[in-house]
Amino acid sequence: MSKVVQFFRESGSELKKVVWPSRDDVVSSVIAVVVSTFLIAVVLGLLDWGFTEAFRAIMR
């Protein structure tokens, strides 16, 4: 048996062992990632704005 065929057979048997997440788990994970990404973007945006204003005030 060639190594390629053996690889695909073993891959298939390993995929049968995987415990896939439920739809609810995936949805809640996606929501958590989107919300945390949004919050981090807001914080970084506010920091950027604050530092920009501070440097403008210093340079005047």
Side-chain angles (χ1 to χ4, degrees), residues 25-42:
D25 290 340
V26 172
V27 169
S28 64
S29 295
V30 168
I31 290 171
V33 168
V34 169
V35 168
S36 60
T37 301
F38 177 77
L39 291 175
I40 291 170
V42 168

Side-chain angles (χ1 to χ4, degrees), residues 5-25:
V5 172
Q6 181 182 0
F7 170 78
F8 282 109
R9 282 191 181 159
E10 290 176 4
S11 296
S13 66
E14 289 297 320
L15 282 174
K16 290 177 184 174
K17 298 176 188 177
V18 173
V19 178
W20 298 100
S22 68
R23 179 178 174 86
D24 291 339
D25 290 340

